[in-house]
Amino acid sequence: MGQAMNLVDTHNHVTPWSPDATQTYEQLMEETARRGLHGVAICDHYDPNSKTDDESAWKFDPQAYMDAFYSKRRMPSKRKPGDPPGFLLGIELDWIPEKKQILHQVFNDHPFDLGIISMHFLRGHDPYYVPEAIYTDKLETIYNEVINDIADSAEEMSEVQIIGHFDYFSRYAPDADSKMRYQHAPQAFDRLFKIMIKNGQALEINVGTIHSLMKRRGYSTNEAMPDHVILNRYRELGGRYFSICSDAHHVERNGLHMAEALAYLKGLGITEFVWFEERELRLP
Ligand SMILES: [Zn+2]
Ligand SMILES: [Zn+2]
C-alpha cells in the first residue's frame, strides 16, 4: 500500500483463461486497488502446441478473451485522481519456433495492449515436469542455450513488447545454486539485449522467480533478486525499459516480494517501470 505510485503490474493470470490460475478477474482487481497500483495487465497463456480448447488447454480463444475483457480496459495514462486502477489486456505467448506463424497471427489479429514472449520449453521439454530432460549439462551450457533461444524469440517476435522471465529456467534447475547470472552466458545475454534494444522491447523483472528461488532453493530474499550484473549490462548496452510483474496466478501472490524487489532495484538506480497501451510504450 502506497508502495507503488504509478506502478503497473504488467503480467498476471486469471481463471479460467489459464489452467494454472485460481484467481478471478474480480479478485485481481480487488488486490490491485488494495495495493494502490496505477494499473494491472492480464496476460494469459497461449501455447500454440496446445491441442484442445477444453478447460485444461494452455491456450484460450482470443476472440472470447476480447469479448470478456476488451470493454473493461482502462488506460493508466488517462487515470484521474479517485479513478480505479487501470486495466490492460495482454497475452503471454509461448515461444515455440516451429509455430511462430500462429504466434504472429494471434497477436496481430487481435487488439491486445501488449504481448509478452516467454520461454517455457527447451528442446520441447517442460522444466517443471521433466527437469532431467533439460538439465543434462552444467548450468553455463544450459543457460547459454536458453538465453540464445530467448534472443531468437525476441528477434522473430519483434512486434511483442516484453521479454518475459529471462530467468525462468533457474526456478527448476536441480543445482543448489541455480540462480541465473551474467557470467553463465555473457555472449548470449549481450546478443539478447542488442536485439531487444533494436526492437524497443522491455526486460521483465518477474517477481515470481524471486519467490520460486526462495521457496525451492532456500535463497534469502536478497540472494534471490535478479543478478545485478545482468541488469547493469542491459543498461550499459543501452537498454532503458524495464517492466515488473507479480506473474500472479493466485490471489496471495499479488505483490508478494514486490516491495523488496522495488527496493533492491532502486538501489541499482532502476526506478521506472514501463507498460504498454494499445502497444505504445508508456512511462510512469
Ligand atoms: Zn510464463
Ligand atoms: Zn505468466
Side-chain angles (χ1 to χ4, degrees):
M1 268 170 279
Q3 67 174 231
M5 278 306 289
N6 292 332
L7 194 76
V8 178
D9 191 323
T10 48
H11 172 175
N12 296 283
H13 299 264
V14 290
T15 185
W17 305 93
S18 288
D20 56 346
T22 57
Q23 70 179 347
T24 62
Y25 162 78
E26 288 75 17
Q27 289 172 316
L28 172 65
M29 295 316 294
E30 209 172 288
E31 285 297 302
T32 302
R34 185 189 63 76
R35 292 168 60 200
L37 293 183
H38 194 39
V40 71
I42 56 169
C43 300
D44 282 294
H45 291 289
Y46 195 91
D47 171 2
N49 270 344
S50 194
K51 295 272 187 294
T52 56
D53 287 328
D54 66 21
E55 279 177 15
S56 60
W58 292 85
K59 174 199 273 186
F60 56 81
D61 173 353
Q63 190 52 53
Y65 205 55
M66 290 297 149
D67 292 345
F69 294 115
Y70 193 79
S71 66
K72 294 180 158 58
R73 292 159 64 249
R74 284 191 301 270
M75 298 300 113
S77 67
K78 300 212 168 70
R79 194 167 171 239
K80 305 230 161 42
D83 283 353
F87 173 68
L88 298 166
L89 193 49
I91 185 169
E92 182 176 23
L93 299 161
D94 259 329
W95 175 239
I96 309 284
E98 302 74 30
K99 297 291 169 74
K100 63 189 182 190
Q101 288 316 326
I102 297 175
L103 298 177
H104 287 303
Q105 202 175 9
V106 71
F107 188 58
N108 293 325
D109 286 358
H110 301 92
F112 292 104
D113 287 300
L114 64 142
I116 300 173
I117 187 77
S118 289
M119 233 181 93
H120 298 109
F121 300 94
L122 185 68
R123 295 176 239 119
H125 297 298
D126 184 323
Y128 179 80
Y129 291 108
V130 282
E132 67 277 10
I134 288 178
Y135 304 100
T136 52
D137 208 328
K138 56 186 199 298
L139 286 184
E140 281 79 359
T141 307
I142 306 302
Y143 289 172
N144 182 63
E145 192 178 348
V146 166
I147 298 301
N148 268 312
D149 278 14
I150 297 176
D152 292 345
S153 78
E155 181 140 72
E156 176 61 40
M157 300 301 295
S158 60
E159 71 271 46
V160 305
Q161 287 72 31
I162 295 176
I163 305 306
H165 50 54
F166 67 89
D167 47 10
Y168 180 79
F169 281 75
S170 70
R171 300 181 188 183
Y172 307 110
D175 307 62
D177 186 17
S178 68
K179 173 169 161 169
M180 191 179 275
R181 295 183 167 86
Y182 180 73
Q183 277 314 321
H184 284 126
Q187 285 163 350
F189 273 113
D190 285 7
R191 182 181 160 235
L192 167 63
F193 293 155
K194 284 174 188 166
I195 292 167
M196 290 174 61
I197 290 158
K198 179 185 69 185
N199 292 342
Q201 291 160 320
L203 183 65
E204 179 183 273
I205 307 291
N206 190 298
V207 181
T209 298
I210 297 167
H211 175 74
S212 184
L213 288 177
M214 291 171 68
K215 209 176 91 184
R216 291 171 176 277
R217 293 290 167 265
Y219 287 105
S220 69
T221 318
N222 210 48
E223 289 165 346
M225 292 295 160
D227 179 22
H228 68 277
V229 185
I230 294 175
L231 307 184
N232 287 339
R233 182 62 176 157
Y234 169 65
R235 290 190 297 174
E236 189 177 75
L237 289 172
R240 291 164 55 208
Y241 307 133
F242 290 93
S243 63
I244 194 161
C245 67
S246 298
D247 198 358
H249 295 62
H250 315 288
V251 172
E252 67 276 12
R253 295 287 288 275
N254 284 281
L256 186 63
H257 304 306
M258 183 67 81
E260 298 98 307
L262 291 171
Y264 169 78
L265 294 164
K266 192 177 174 187
L268 300 178
I270 301 168
T271 55
E272 283 194 347
F273 301 94
V274 304
W275 68 90
F276 298 85
E277 301 177 3
E278 296 174 334
R279 308 186 183 201
E280 294 293 325
L281 177 80
R282 298 287 173 169
L283 295 157

